[in-house]
Amino acid sequence: MNKLGAIFQTRLPDWIDVDFSRWGSVAENENRLFRLLKQAIFENLEITFDYHNSAGDRGKRNVYPYKLIYKDKAWYLYAFCLLRNENRLFRLSRIKKLIFTKAHFERKTDIYQYHSLFPMPEEIGNLIDLELEFTLDVGYRLFDTLDDTAITQHESGYTVKLTLPENDWLYDFLMSFGNKVTIIQPKSIRQTLKAKHEAAREHHKGE
């Protein structure tokens, strides 16, 4: 806060608030999780928690917490996972029943060298080159989520060209735009997305 105050040249003590909770959540619970993780990092404490990964699996993890990272509208814990025997990122919203152990760990010198928000290979999916067309009225969502360099605006909308892993996040992202997105390339993504829309329609058929 002192550094931010110096940058913006203000001495007001309450000019900014940081709330780590999500909209609609119990703020105290999420802020408490953040405080506990901060304490574990400062004290080099091994922690254990239940974790729900993006593949839908749930299990207990024991980790050495290294640092907290904020990226793309979400908080992550960067830690050494004793189960996987490697450094991993854990999304805070998926961490449940956090417990301190009595064990301390020795901090490594290379802990800050993380390179991706997708550190678990089994959840990445194959990288694919995408070309997409979006209507003008969803431009704000594109700029909220994607890098500006991937977006080209034209008279009738936006063209997006980028490389992303083919996984559930990609299909959920595209389906959320409904008829506001057109998949130019690759055609395989267009066919899979069409099948997912058909499955959703059939699921609610007759209701």
Side-chain angles (χ1 to χ4, degrees):
M1 288 300 182
N2 289 335
K3 290 181 180 179
L4 288 172
I7 291 173
F8 291 99
Q9 296 181 346
T10 177
R11 295 182 179 180
L12 293 175
D14 59 350
W15 69 280
I16 186 172
D17 283 323
V18 180
D19 185 348
F20 299 110
S21 64
R22 295 164 291 170
W23 293 110
S25 65
V26 179
E28 179 53 31
N29 290 347
E30 297 201 351
N31 289 327
R32 178 177 178 273
L33 173 63
F34 196 94
R35 292 194 301 270
L36 290 175
L37 290 172
K38 177 183 175 183
Q39 179 183 347
I41 292 170
F42 283 3
E43 298 180 11
N44 291 349
L45 279 173
E46 178 187 335
I47 57 176
T48 181
F49 51 79
D50 291 343
Y51 190 71
H52 302 251
N53 67 21
S54 60
D57 301 323
R58 187 179 79 174
K60 190 167 291 293
R61 301 295 182 92
N62 281 60
V63 306
Y64 299 155
Y66 289 152
K67 66 188 303 185
L68 291 166
I69 298 168
Y70 182 81
K71 187 168 185 178
D72 192 27
K73 301 187 288 292
W75 282 99
Y76 295 83
L77 171 68
Y78 183 58
F80 181 81
C81 178
L82 297 175
L83 177 65
R84 306 297 187 189
N85 197 35
E86 63 182 359
N87 294 336
R88 292 294 180 96
L89 282 174
F90 299 94
R91 186 162 175 152
L92 262 61
S93 59
R94 299 173 186 163
I95 293 176
K96 310 297 179 184
K97 299 179 181 178
L98 173 67
I99 299 174
F100 287 179
T101 71
K102 297 180 180 180
H104 290 261
F105 64 90
E106 183 177 350
R107 187 171 290 266
K108 297 181 180 180
T109 58
D110 62 344
I111 61 173
Y112 300 110
Q113 298 178 5
Y114 76 97
H115 302 287
S116 172
L117 210 56
F118 305 97
M120 294 172 275
E122 67 269 20
E123 297 183 23
I124 293 180
N126 297 322
L127 292 175
I128 55 173
D129 295 325
L130 292 160
E131 182 177 352
L132 312 167
E133 292 285 341
F134 293 87
T135 57
L136 283 172
D137 55 331
V138 296
Y140 71 97
R141 289 189 57 195
L142 301 181
F143 290 110
D144 280 349
T145 308
L146 307 176
D147 189 88
D148 292 1
T149 58
I151 306 169
T152 301
Q153 184 174 355
H154 48 79
E155 187 174 333
S156 58
Y158 299 89
T159 298
V160 172
K161 294 182 179 181
L162 76 172
T163 301
L164 288 174
E166 183 181 0
N167 54 24
D168 287 339
W169 179 90
L170 174 62
Y171 287 111
D172 290 345
F173 175 71
L174 293 175
M175 289 182 71
S176 70
F177 285 92
N179 63 352
K180 306 291 185 179
V181 59
T182 300
I183 301 168
I184 307 302
Q185 294 291 342
K187 293 182 179 179
S188 60
I189 299 297
R190 185 192 311 172
Q191 294 302 321
T192 302
L193 194 67
K194 182 179 178 181
K196 286 180 176 292
H197 277 295
E198 287 293 331
R201 187 177 68 84
E202 286 296 318
H203 178 70
H204 293 94
K205 189 175 181 180
E207 293 185 2

